[in-house]
Amino acid sequence: MSNCIFFGDNLDVLPTLPARHYRLTYIDPPFNTGRQQRRKRLRTVRDESGDRSGFQGKRYRSEVLGERAFDDEFDEYLEFLRPRLEQARRVLTDDGSLFFHIDYREVHYCKMLLDKIFGRESFMNEIIWAYDYGGRSKSRWPAKHDNILWYAMDPKNFVFNYDAIDRIPYMAPGLVTPEKAARGKTPTDVWWLTIVSPTGREKTGYPTQKPLKLLERIIAVHSDEGDQVLDFFAGSGTTGVAAAALGRQFTLIDDNPEAIEVMQERLGCVPIAVNRAGTNP
């Protein structure tokens, strides 16, 4: 399990991963937006003239097996998440951590689900990622933050590399000594980080891409060099990019062909196609 990208439904792939293997899992699942969500089920078949490369450089073609849809309402959304979060707990090391990225619509319901799966005592922090970009509502306070829930497998034994925390400027540097002002301060549980610039070099074009700085902070503080990091809603692959830059090993999973293409371009890994039975087709 060294720097892998899996192309398949995460509920098919996760049971094939070894138990107690990952020191850190970060996931950014689809948010419950109130719109109907659709997910295509794909199968890859060996075909030398296929439309994509697969394991060991072999060629495959993609076949659509069907499409699943669910109204993005919280009962169905939580049932979608439940088996995946149960698998997330199974594969974490005894001192591992889960970071669950969601927004204000569902964070309260998701926390209750996570409390049941991991134990309420394992809840460590709710981190607020605050940003300031986009339109301004004239009928309510504009929502400009996401919520990240941190759960530790063992609330008395987990990785927290305090010295690896990146420092930020004081908001009132005149109130501290010049030495402290020059050094900066460590962040609180509210992280002010800009979104990925629509015109910046970091932008891949993937719609839900998260900023590299966000993942670098989580990975640097909550894992050690050489550790295994998992993201099974991998999207644009930012978790893998951050993990590789910090000397960690990554496992990324997604069933969106566009996501796989973006990750392959960013990371240079050949994706491993996984079918319903959890094996390479």
Side-chain angles (χ1 to χ4, degrees):
M1 289 297 169
S2 178
N3 295 347
C4 299
I5 299 174
F6 287 98
F7 176 28
D9 188 322
N10 51 28
L11 198 54
D12 295 339
V13 180
L14 284 167
T16 73
L17 302 182
R20 302 292 180 259
H21 186 69
Y22 295 94
R23 200 83 176 277
L24 174 64
T25 294
Y26 165 90
I27 54 172
D28 175 23
F31 292 177
N32 189 357
T33 61
R35 298 187 294 269
Q36 188 179 69
Q37 303 293 321
R38 293 184 175 274
R39 296 177 70 87
K40 289 183 178 179
R41 289 199 60 81
L42 299 174
R43 177 178 65 185
T44 53
V45 179
R46 282 292 308 279
D47 186 341
E48 293 304 321
S49 60
D51 58 339
R52 62 183 65 252
S53 296
F55 185 54
Q56 296 181 339
K58 298 174 182 176
R59 299 295 295 177
Y60 294 84
R61 73 173 186 275
S62 300
E63 295 180 351
V64 178
L65 299 179
E67 187 175 64
R68 293 178 299 175
F70 63 95
D71 291 329
D72 213 352
E73 298 174 355
F74 78 86
D75 282 338
E76 295 185 24
Y77 183 64
L78 293 183
E79 288 310 308
F80 166 78
L81 290 174
R82 185 188 306 276
R84 293 161 170 84
L85 293 174
E86 291 171 345
Q87 286 292 327
R89 187 180 188 282
R90 183 187 68 83
V91 302
L92 277 174
T93 61
D94 291 337
D95 60 354
S97 291
L98 169 76
F99 281 74
F100 180 90
H101 191 143
I102 197 70
D103 75 357
Y104 68 94
R105 298 178 184 90
E106 293 301 330
V107 63
H108 311 91
Y109 306 111
C110 291
K111 183 182 183 303
M112 293 176 67
L113 175 62
L114 285 160
D115 283 350
K116 290 180 180 179
I117 294 172
F118 283 83
R120 192 171 182 180
E121 71 282 357
S122 291
F123 173 65
M124 305 301 294
N125 268 125
E126 179 181 21
I127 296 165
I128 303 299
W129 170 36
Y131 43 85
D132 192 16
Y133 184 85
R136 291 286 190 276
S137 172
K138 294 183 178 180
S139 60
R140 60 177 178 171
W141 300 107
K144 297 296 177 185
H145 78 275
D146 286 358
N147 309 66
I148 304 174
L149 304 177
W150 168 27
Y151 282 78
M153 286 285 285
D154 182 348
K156 296 181 179 179
N157 180 29
F158 52 86
V159 181
F160 191 87
N161 297 317
Y162 179 82
D163 291 338
I165 301 175
D166 56 299
R167 291 182 172 266
I168 60 176
Y170 281 92
M171 296 182 69
L175 298 180
V176 298
T177 65
E179 293 77 14
K180 282 189 174 182
R183 186 171 68 247
K185 63 178 180 178
T186 56
T188 66
D189 59 359
V190 178
W191 296 358
W192 284 93
L193 293 170
T194 184
I195 65 168
V196 178
S197 171
T199 59
R201 294 178 61 185
E202 189 178 331
K203 186 71 174 176
T204 65
Y206 198 80
T208 60
Q209 182 182 355
K210 298 302 183 290
L212 186 60
K213 187 68 173 178
L214 181 74
L215 272 300
E216 286 178 337
R217 181 177 290 173
I218 293 171
I219 292 170
V221 176
H222 296 280
S223 67
D224 294 325
E225 190 169 346
D227 279 349
Q228 297 282 345
V229 178
L230 171 65
D231 184 346
F232 54 86
F233 288 101
S236 66
T238 301
T239 299
V241 174
L246 293 168
R248 279 67 165 169
Q249 304 296 312
F250 61 81
T251 298
L252 308 177
I253 307 171
D254 209 289
D255 64 356
N256 185 334
E258 288 75 19
I260 296 298
E261 290 176 4
V262 170
M263 285 191 279
Q264 187 172 5
E265 183 175 347
R266 294 182 84 185
L267 294 160
C269 297
V270 176
I272 302 171
V274 175
N275 65 15
R276 184 64 177 172
T279 58
N280 295 327

PDB file of all heavy atoms in Angstrom, residues 72-101:
ATOM      1  N   ASP A  72     -30.937  14.161  -1.962  1.00  0.00           N
ATOM      2  CA  ASP A  72     -29.906  14.517  -1.000  1.00  0.00           C
ATOM      3  C   ASP A  72     -30.542  14.987   0.299  1.00  0.00           C
ATOM      4  O   ASP A  72     -30.393  16.130   0.701  1.00  0.00           O
ATOM      5  CB  ASP A  72     -29.014  15.597  -1.607  1.00  0.00           C
ATOM      6  CG  ASP A  72     -27.580  15.470  -1.139  1.00  0.00           C
ATOM      7  OD1 ASP A  72     -27.337  14.650  -0.254  1.00  0.00           O
ATOM      8  OD2 ASP A  72     -26.725  16.188  -1.662  1.00  0.00           O
ATOM      9  N   GLU A  73     -31.276  14.110   0.955  1.00  0.00           N
ATOM     10  CA  GLU A  73     -31.899  14.392   2.229  1.00  0.00           C
ATOM     11  C   GLU A  73     -31.141  13.634   3.308  1.00  0.00           C
ATOM     12  O   GLU A  73     -30.607  12.558   3.070  1.00  0.00           O
ATOM     13  CB  GLU A  73     -33.369  13.975   2.217  1.00  0.00           C
ATOM     14  CG  GLU A  73     -34.184  14.737   1.176  1.00  0.00           C
ATOM     15  CD  GLU A  73     -35.609  14.214   1.069  1.00  0.00           C
ATOM     16  OE1 GLU A  73     -35.899  13.203   1.758  1.00  0.00           O
ATOM     17  OE2 GLU A  73     -36.385  14.789   0.320  1.00  0.00           O
ATOM     18  N   PHE A  74     -31.133  14.159   4.516  1.00  0.00           N
ATOM     19  CA  PHE A  74     -30.151  13.693   5.478  1.00  0.00           C
ATOM     20  C   PHE A  74     -30.303  12.238   5.866  1.00  0.00           C
ATOM     21  O   PHE A  74     -29.314  11.556   6.126  1.00  0.00           O
ATOM     22  CB  PHE A  74     -30.114  14.602   6.705  1.00  0.00           C
ATOM     23  CG  PHE A  74     -31.214  14.400   7.693  1.00  0.00           C
ATOM     24  CD1 PHE A  74     -31.100  13.448   8.693  1.00  0.00           C
ATOM     25  CD2 PHE A  74     -32.360  15.165   7.651  1.00  0.00           C
ATOM     26  CE1 PHE A  74     -32.096  13.272   9.629  1.00  0.00           C
ATOM     27  CE2 PHE A  74     -33.361  14.985   8.580  1.00  0.00           C
ATOM     28  CZ  PHE A  74     -33.239  14.035   9.565  1.00  0.00           C
ATOM     29  N   ASP A  75     -31.503  11.676   5.911  1.00  0.00           N
ATOM     30  CA  ASP A  75     -31.643  10.269   6.280  1.00  0.00           C
ATOM     31  C   ASP A  75     -30.892   9.376   5.290  1.00  0.00           C
ATOM     32  O   ASP A  75     -30.118   8.503   5.670  1.00  0.00           O
ATOM     33  CB  ASP A  75     -33.119   9.873   6.323  1.00  0.00           C
ATOM     34  CG  ASP A  75     -33.802  10.356   7.601  1.00  0.00           C
ATOM     35  OD1 ASP A  75     -33.083  10.606   8.578  1.00  0.00           O
ATOM     36  OD2 ASP A  75     -35.035  10.475   7.606  1.00  0.00           O
ATOM     37  N   GLU A  76     -31.130   9.588   4.020  1.00  0.00           N
ATOM     38  CA  GLU A  76     -30.473   8.785   3.005  1.00  0.00           C
ATOM     39  C   GLU A  76     -28.985   9.111   2.940  1.00  0.00           C
ATOM     40  O   GLU A  76     -28.164   8.232   2.681  1.00  0.00           O
ATOM     41  CB  GLU A  76     -31.142   9.003   1.650  1.00  0.00           C
ATOM     42  CG  GLU A  76     -32.583   8.522   1.612  1.00  0.00           C
ATOM     43  CD  GLU A  76     -33.198   8.642   0.235  1.00  0.00           C
ATOM     44  OE1 GLU A  76     -32.445   8.651  -0.756  1.00  0.00           O
ATOM     45  OE2 GLU A  76     -34.428   8.730   0.150  1.00  0.00           O
ATOM     46  N   TYR A  77     -28.660  10.350   3.164  1.00  0.00           N
ATOM     47  CA  TYR A  77     -27.254  10.755   3.137  1.00  0.00           C
ATOM     48  C   TYR A  77     -26.465  10.055   4.238  1.00  0.00           C
ATOM     49  O   TYR A  77     -25.367   9.548   4.010  1.00  0.00           O
ATOM     50  CB  TYR A  77     -27.162  12.264   3.297  1.00  0.00           C
ATOM     51  CG  TYR A  77     -25.759  12.827   3.203  1.00  0.00           C
ATOM     52  CD1 TYR A  77     -25.030  12.738   2.020  1.00  0.00           C
ATOM     53  CD2 TYR A  77     -25.168  13.440   4.301  1.00  0.00           C
ATOM     54  CE1 TYR A  77     -23.758  13.247   1.929  1.00  0.00           C
ATOM     55  CE2 TYR A  77     -23.894  13.962   4.222  1.00  0.00           C
ATOM     56  CZ  TYR A  77     -23.191  13.867   3.036  1.00  0.00           C
ATOM     57  OH  TYR A  77     -21.923  14.373   2.947  1.00  0.00           O
ATOM     58  N   LEU A  78     -27.014  10.001   5.431  1.00  0.00           N
ATOM     59  CA  LEU A  78     -26.327   9.334   6.526  1.00  0.00           C
ATOM     60  C   LEU A  78     -26.197   7.839   6.287  1.00  0.00           C
ATOM     61  O   LEU A  78     -25.180   7.228   6.646  1.00  0.00           O
ATOM     62  CB  LEU A  78     -27.053   9.601   7.843  1.00  0.00           C
ATOM     63  CG  LEU A  78     -27.034  11.046   8.341  1.00  0.00           C
ATOM     64  CD1 LEU A  78     -27.724  11.150   9.686  1.00  0.00           C
ATOM     65  CD2 LEU A  78     -25.621  11.591   8.421  1.00  0.00           C
ATOM     66  N   GLU A  79     -27.205   7.232   5.669  1.00  0.00           N
ATOM     67  CA  GLU A  79     -27.103   5.806   5.359  1.00  0.00           C
ATOM     68  C   GLU A  79     -26.062   5.553   4.268  1.00  0.00           C
ATOM     69  O   GLU A  79     -25.436   4.489   4.233  1.00  0.00           O
ATOM     70  CB  GLU A  79     -28.467   5.262   4.945  1.00  0.00           C
ATOM     71  CG  GLU A  79     -29.431   5.139   6.114  1.00  0.00           C
ATOM     72  CD  GLU A  79     -28.822   4.395   7.298  1.00  0.00           C
ATOM     73  OE1 GLU A  79     -28.302   3.272   7.085  1.00  0.00           O
ATOM     74  OE2 GLU A  79     -28.832   4.933   8.414  1.00  0.00           O
ATOM     75  N   PHE A  80     -25.886   6.521   3.388  1.00  0.00           N
ATOM     76  CA  PHE A  80     -24.805   6.445   2.398  1.00  0.00           C
ATOM     77  C   PHE A  80     -23.449   6.480   3.093  1.00  0.00           C
ATOM     78  O   PHE A  80     -22.523   5.730   2.752  1.00  0.00           O
ATOM     79  CB  PHE A  80     -24.956   7.615   1.421  1.00  0.00           C
ATOM     80  CG  PHE A  80     -23.758   7.887   0.556  1.00  0.00           C
ATOM     81  CD1 PHE A  80     -23.484   7.100  -0.544  1.00  0.00           C
ATOM     82  CD2 PHE A  80     -22.906   8.946   0.835  1.00  0.00           C
ATOM     83  CE1 PHE A  80     -22.380   7.353  -1.352  1.00  0.00           C
ATOM     84  CE2 PHE A  80     -21.807   9.217   0.048  1.00  0.00           C
ATOM     85  CZ  PHE A  80     -21.536   8.411  -1.056  1.00  0.00           C
ATOM     86  N   LEU A  81     -23.314   7.335   4.104  1.00  0.00           N
ATOM     87  CA  LEU A  81     -22.030   7.504   4.785  1.00  0.00           C
ATOM     88  C   LEU A  81     -21.720   6.366   5.754  1.00  0.00           C
ATOM     89  O   LEU A  81     -20.548   5.994   5.931  1.00  0.00           O
ATOM     90  CB  LEU A  81     -22.013   8.823   5.556  1.00  0.00           C
ATOM     91  CG  LEU A  81     -21.965  10.104   4.738  1.00  0.00           C
ATOM     92  CD1 LEU A  81     -22.108  11.309   5.662  1.00  0.00           C
ATOM     93  CD2 LEU A  81     -20.656  10.196   3.946  1.00  0.00           C
ATOM     94  N   ARG A  82     -22.744   5.828   6.418  1.00  0.00           N
ATOM     95  CA  ARG A  82     -22.521   4.922   7.545  1.00  0.00           C
ATOM     96  C   ARG A  82     -21.543   3.780   7.239  1.00  0.00           C
ATOM     97  O   ARG A  82     -20.548   3.603   7.966  1.00  0.00           O
ATOM     98  CB  ARG A  82     -23.856   4.362   8.034  1.00  0.00           C
ATOM     99  CG  ARG A  82     -23.727   3.489   9.282  1.00  0.00           C
ATOM    100  CD  ARG A  82     -25.056   2.804   9.599  1.00  0.00           C
ATOM    101  NE  ARG A  82     -26.139   3.775   9.708  1.00  0.00           N
ATOM    102  CZ  ARG A  82     -26.421   4.455  10.819  1.00  0.00           C
ATOM    103  NH1 ARG A  82     -25.703   4.251  11.903  1.00  0.00           N
ATOM    104  NH2 ARG A  82     -27.425   5.307  10.831  1.00  0.00           N
ATOM    105  N   PRO A  83     -21.775   2.948   6.209  1.00  0.00           N
ATOM    106  CA  PRO A  83     -20.862   1.813   6.003  1.00  0.00           C
ATOM    107  C   PRO A  83     -19.454   2.258   5.631  1.00  0.00           C
ATOM    108  O   PRO A  83     -18.479   1.565   5.946  1.00  0.00           O
ATOM    109  CB  PRO A  83     -21.524   1.025   4.864  1.00  0.00           C
ATOM    110  CG  PRO A  83     -22.392   2.020   4.160  1.00  0.00           C
ATOM    111  CD  PRO A  83     -22.867   2.959   5.213  1.00  0.00           C
ATOM    112  N   ARG A  84     -19.340   3.399   5.000  1.00  0.00           N
ATOM    113  CA  ARG A  84     -18.028   3.915   4.629  1.00  0.00           C
ATOM    114  C   ARG A  84     -17.253   4.390   5.858  1.00  0.00           C
ATOM    115  O   ARG A  84     -16.043   4.163   5.975  1.00  0.00           O
ATOM    116  CB  ARG A  84     -18.194   5.037   3.603  1.00  0.00           C
ATOM    117  CG  ARG A  84     -18.722   4.518   2.271  1.00  0.00           C
ATOM    118  CD  ARG A  84     -19.330   5.601   1.409  1.00  0.00           C
ATOM    119  NE  ARG A  84     -19.617   5.106   0.056  1.00  0.00           N
ATOM    120  CZ  ARG A  84     -20.718   4.447  -0.272  1.00  0.00           C
ATOM    121  NH1 ARG A  84     -21.664   4.222   0.650  1.00  0.00           N
ATOM    122  NH2 ARG A  84     -20.902   4.023  -1.508  1.00  0.00           N
ATOM    123  N   LEU A  85     -17.951   5.013   6.794  1.00  0.00           N
ATOM    124  CA  LEU A  85     -17.297   5.452   8.028  1.00  0.00           C
ATOM    125  C   LEU A  85     -16.946   4.264   8.922  1.00  0.00           C
ATOM    126  O   LEU A  85     -15.929   4.293   9.634  1.00  0.00           O
ATOM    127  CB  LEU A  85     -18.198   6.436   8.770  1.00  0.00           C
ATOM    128  CG  LEU A  85     -18.404   7.783   8.057  1.00  0.00           C
ATOM    129  CD1 LEU A  85     -19.433   8.623   8.802  1.00  0.00           C
ATOM    130  CD2 LEU A  85     -17.084   8.546   7.930  1.00  0.00           C
ATOM    131  N   GLU A  86     -17.755   3.229   8.895  1.00  0.00           N
ATOM    132  CA  GLU A  86     -17.415   2.022   9.644  1.00  0.00           C
ATOM    133  C   GLU A  86     -16.129   1.398   9.107  1.00  0.00           C
ATOM    134  O   GLU A  86     -15.275   0.927   9.874  1.00  0.00           O
ATOM    135  CB  GLU A  86     -18.573   1.030   9.586  1.00  0.00           C
ATOM    136  CG  GLU A  86     -19.798   1.491  10.377  1.00  0.00           C
ATOM    137  CD  GLU A  86     -21.025   0.640  10.155  1.00  0.00           C
ATOM    138  OE1 GLU A  86     -21.037  -0.146   9.172  1.00  0.00           O
ATOM    139  OE2 GLU A  86     -21.981   0.755  10.943  1.00  0.00           O
ATOM    140  N   GLN A  87     -15.978   1.407   7.791  1.00  0.00           N
ATOM    141  CA  GLN A  87     -14.739   0.919   7.195  1.00  0.00           C
ATOM    142  C   GLN A  87     -13.568   1.844   7.534  1.00  0.00           C
ATOM    143  O   GLN A  87     -12.441   1.380   7.755  1.00  0.00           O
ATOM    144  CB  GLN A  87     -14.895   0.805   5.675  1.00  0.00           C
ATOM    145  CG  GLN A  87     -15.735  -0.361   5.218  1.00  0.00           C
ATOM    146  CD  GLN A  87     -15.068  -1.689   5.494  1.00  0.00           C
ATOM    147  OE1 GLN A  87     -13.842  -1.811   5.451  1.00  0.00           O
ATOM    148  NE2 GLN A  87     -15.868  -2.708   5.788  1.00  0.00           N
ATOM    149  N   ALA A  88     -13.824   3.141   7.570  1.00  0.00           N
ATOM    150  CA  ALA A  88     -12.771   4.095   7.923  1.00  0.00           C
ATOM    151  C   ALA A  88     -12.213   3.793   9.305  1.00  0.00           C
ATOM    152  O   ALA A  88     -10.998   3.861   9.538  1.00  0.00           O
ATOM    153  CB  ALA A  88     -13.303   5.526   7.864  1.00  0.00           C
ATOM    154  N   ARG A  89     -13.081   3.455  10.228  1.00  0.00           N
ATOM    155  CA  ARG A  89     -12.623   3.111  11.575  1.00  0.00           C
ATOM    156  C   ARG A  89     -11.829   1.806  11.564  1.00  0.00           C
ATOM    157  O   ARG A  89     -10.815   1.681  12.252  1.00  0.00           O
ATOM    158  CB  ARG A  89     -13.813   2.987  12.527  1.00  0.00           C
ATOM    159  CG  ARG A  89     -13.407   2.801  13.974  1.00  0.00           C
ATOM    160  CD  ARG A  89     -14.613   2.688  14.893  1.00  0.00           C
ATOM    161  NE  ARG A  89     -14.203   2.711  16.289  1.00  0.00           N
ATOM    162  CZ  ARG A  89     -13.671   1.679  16.938  1.00  0.00           C
ATOM    163  NH1 ARG A  89     -13.520   0.519  16.301  1.00  0.00           N
ATOM    164  NH2 ARG A  89     -13.312   1.790  18.199  1.00  0.00           N
ATOM    165  N   ARG A  90     -12.256   0.854  10.769  1.00  0.00           N
ATOM    166  CA  ARG A  90     -11.577  -0.452  10.720  1.00  0.00           C
ATOM    167  C   ARG A  90     -10.131  -0.320  10.259  1.00  0.00           C
ATOM    168  O   ARG A  90      -9.242  -1.038  10.755  1.00  0.00           O
ATOM    169  CB  ARG A  90     -12.338  -1.392   9.783  1.00  0.00           C
ATOM    170  CG  ARG A  90     -11.766  -2.803   9.695  1.00  0.00           C
ATOM    171  CD  ARG A  90     -12.473  -3.628   8.630  1.00  0.00           C
ATOM    172  NE  ARG A  90     -12.194  -3.142   7.284  1.00  0.00           N
ATOM    173  CZ  ARG A  90     -11.098  -3.466   6.589  1.00  0.00           C
ATOM    174  NH1 ARG A  90     -10.170  -4.268   7.111  1.00  0.00           N
ATOM    175  NH2 ARG A  90     -10.919  -2.990   5.366  1.00  0.00           N
ATOM    176  N   VAL A  91      -9.863   0.562   9.312  1.00  0.00           N
ATOM    177  CA  VAL A  91      -8.525   0.625   8.715  1.00  0.00           C
ATOM    178  C   VAL A  91      -7.588   1.585   9.437  1.00  0.00           C
ATOM    179  O   VAL A  91      -6.397   1.633   9.118  1.00  0.00           O
ATOM    180  CB  VAL A  91      -8.593   0.981   7.215  1.00  0.00           C
ATOM    181  CG1 VAL A  91      -9.435  -0.030   6.455  1.00  0.00           C
ATOM    182  CG2 VAL A  91      -9.113   2.392   6.990  1.00  0.00           C
ATOM    183  N   LEU A  92      -8.084   2.368  10.413  1.00  0.00           N
ATOM    184  CA  LEU A  92      -7.213   3.279  11.143  1.00  0.00           C
ATOM    185  C   LEU A  92      -6.369   2.530  12.162  1.00  0.00           C
ATOM    186  O   LEU A  92      -6.827   1.572  12.786  1.00  0.00           O
ATOM    187  CB  LEU A  92      -8.036   4.346  11.865  1.00  0.00           C
ATOM    188  CG  LEU A  92      -8.479   5.563  11.055  1.00  0.00           C
ATOM    189  CD1 LEU A  92      -9.404   6.441  11.883  1.00  0.00           C
ATOM    190  CD2 LEU A  92      -7.284   6.371  10.559  1.00  0.00           C
ATOM    191  N   THR A  93      -5.133   2.994  12.356  1.00  0.00           N
ATOM    192  CA  THR A  93      -4.288   2.448  13.410  1.00  0.00           C
ATOM    193  C   THR A  93      -4.873   2.811  14.777  1.00  0.00           C
ATOM    194  O   THR A  93      -5.731   3.690  14.895  1.00  0.00           O
ATOM    195  CB  THR A  93      -2.862   3.001  13.310  1.00  0.00           C
ATOM    196  OG1 THR A  93      -2.896   4.434  13.458  1.00  0.00           O
ATOM    197  CG2 THR A  93      -2.235   2.641  11.969  1.00  0.00           C
ATOM    198  N   ASP A  94      -4.380   2.144  15.803  1.00  0.00           N
ATOM    199  CA  ASP A  94      -4.917   2.382  17.143  1.00  0.00           C
ATOM    200  C   ASP A  94      -4.675   3.802  17.627  1.00  0.00           C
ATOM    201  O   ASP A  94      -5.374   4.279  18.529  1.00  0.00           O
ATOM    202  CB  ASP A  94      -4.304   1.388  18.138  1.00  0.00           C
ATOM    203  CG  ASP A  94      -4.783  -0.035  17.900  1.00  0.00           C
ATOM    204  OD1 ASP A  94      -5.866  -0.212  17.307  1.00  0.00           O
ATOM    205  OD2 ASP A  94      -4.053  -0.981  18.292  1.00  0.00           O
ATOM    206  N   ASP A  95      -3.686   4.483  17.054  1.00  0.00           N
ATOM    207  CA  ASP A  95      -3.426   5.884  17.402  1.00  0.00           C
ATOM    208  C   ASP A  95      -3.737   6.817  16.229  1.00  0.00           C
ATOM    209  O   ASP A  95      -3.221   7.923  16.153  1.00  0.00           O
ATOM    210  CB  ASP A  95      -1.980   6.074  17.861  1.00  0.00           C
ATOM    211  CG  ASP A  95      -0.953   5.674  16.799  1.00  0.00           C
ATOM    212  OD1 ASP A  95      -1.361   5.138  15.738  1.00  0.00           O
ATOM    213  OD2 ASP A  95       0.253   5.884  17.033  1.00  0.00           O
ATOM    214  N   GLY A  96      -4.591   6.347  15.316  1.00  0.00           N
ATOM    215  CA  GLY A  96      -4.906   7.108  14.118  1.00  0.00           C
ATOM    216  C   GLY A  96      -6.025   8.116  14.327  1.00  0.00           C
ATOM    217  O   GLY A  96      -6.710   8.127  15.355  1.00  0.00           O
ATOM    218  N   SER A  97      -6.208   8.962  13.313  1.00  0.00           N
ATOM    219  CA  SER A  97      -7.222  10.019  13.361  1.00  0.00           C
ATOM    220  C   SER A  97      -7.996  10.084  12.059  1.00  0.00           C
ATOM    221  O   SER A  97      -7.457   9.799  10.983  1.00  0.00           O
ATOM    222  CB  SER A  97      -6.570  11.392  13.604  1.00  0.00           C
ATOM    223  OG  SER A  97      -6.033  11.488  14.906  1.00  0.00           O
ATOM    224  N   LEU A  98      -9.267  10.472  12.178  1.00  0.00           N
ATOM    225  CA  LEU A  98     -10.125  10.750  11.028  1.00  0.00           C
ATOM    226  C   LEU A  98     -10.448  12.234  11.016  1.00  0.00           C
ATOM    227  O   LEU A  98     -10.846  12.804  12.043  1.00  0.00           O
ATOM    228  CB  LEU A  98     -11.424   9.961  11.115  1.00  0.00           C
ATOM    229  CG  LEU A  98     -12.516  10.373  10.107  1.00  0.00           C
ATOM    230  CD1 LEU A  98     -12.195   9.838   8.718  1.00  0.00           C
ATOM    231  CD2 LEU A  98     -13.890   9.896  10.551  1.00  0.00           C
ATOM    232  N   PHE A  99     -10.308  12.858   9.847  1.00  0.00           N
ATOM    233  CA  PHE A  99     -10.757  14.231   9.632  1.00  0.00           C
ATOM    234  C   PHE A  99     -11.872  14.198   8.592  1.00  0.00           C
ATOM    235  O   PHE A  99     -11.668  13.758   7.457  1.00  0.00           O
ATOM    236  CB  PHE A  99      -9.595  15.117   9.176  1.00  0.00           C
ATOM    237  CG  PHE A  99      -8.712  15.542  10.307  1.00  0.00           C
ATOM    238  CD1 PHE A  99      -7.833  14.639  10.887  1.00  0.00           C
ATOM    239  CD2 PHE A  99      -8.789  16.823  10.829  1.00  0.00           C
ATOM    240  CE1 PHE A  99      -7.035  15.009  11.949  1.00  0.00           C
ATOM    241  CE2 PHE A  99      -8.004  17.213  11.894  1.00  0.00           C
ATOM    242  CZ  PHE A  99      -7.118  16.306  12.460  1.00  0.00           C
ATOM    243  N   PHE A 100     -13.035  14.651   9.002  1.00  0.00           N
ATOM    244  CA  PHE A 100     -14.262  14.561   8.203  1.00  0.00           C
ATOM    245  C   PHE A 100     -14.685  15.981   7.828  1.00  0.00           C
ATOM    246  O   PHE A 100     -15.042  16.776   8.689  1.00  0.00           O
ATOM    247  CB  PHE A 100     -15.344  13.859   9.018  1.00  0.00           C
ATOM    248  CG  PHE A 100     -16.659  13.694   8.312  1.00  0.00           C
ATOM    249  CD1 PHE A 100     -16.911  12.570   7.546  1.00  0.00           C
ATOM    250  CD2 PHE A 100     -17.652  14.660   8.422  1.00  0.00           C
ATOM    251  CE1 PHE A 100     -18.132  12.406   6.905  1.00  0.00           C
ATOM    252  CE2 PHE A 100     -18.869  14.501   7.779  1.00  0.00           C
ATOM    253  CZ  PHE A 100     -19.108  13.371   7.009  1.00  0.00           C
ATOM    254  N   HIS A 101     -14.658  16.288   6.535  1.00  0.00           N
ATOM    255  CA  HIS A 101     -14.885  17.632   6.023  1.00  0.00           C
ATOM    256  C   HIS A 101     -16.312  17.742   5.475  1.00  0.00           C
ATOM    257  O   HIS A 101     -16.704  16.991   4.588  1.00  0.00           O
ATOM    258  CB  HIS A 101     -13.872  17.908   4.907  1.00  0.00           C
ATOM    259  CG  HIS A 101     -13.800  19.323   4.458  1.00  0.00           C
ATOM    260  ND1 HIS A 101     -12.610  19.928   4.103  1.00  0.00           N
ATOM    261  CD2 HIS A 101     -14.754  20.268   4.290  1.00  0.00           C
ATOM    262  CE1 HIS A 101     -12.845  21.178   3.744  1.00  0.00           C
ATOM    263  NE2 HIS A 101     -14.145  21.399   3.830  1.00  0.00           N
TER     264      HIS A 101
END
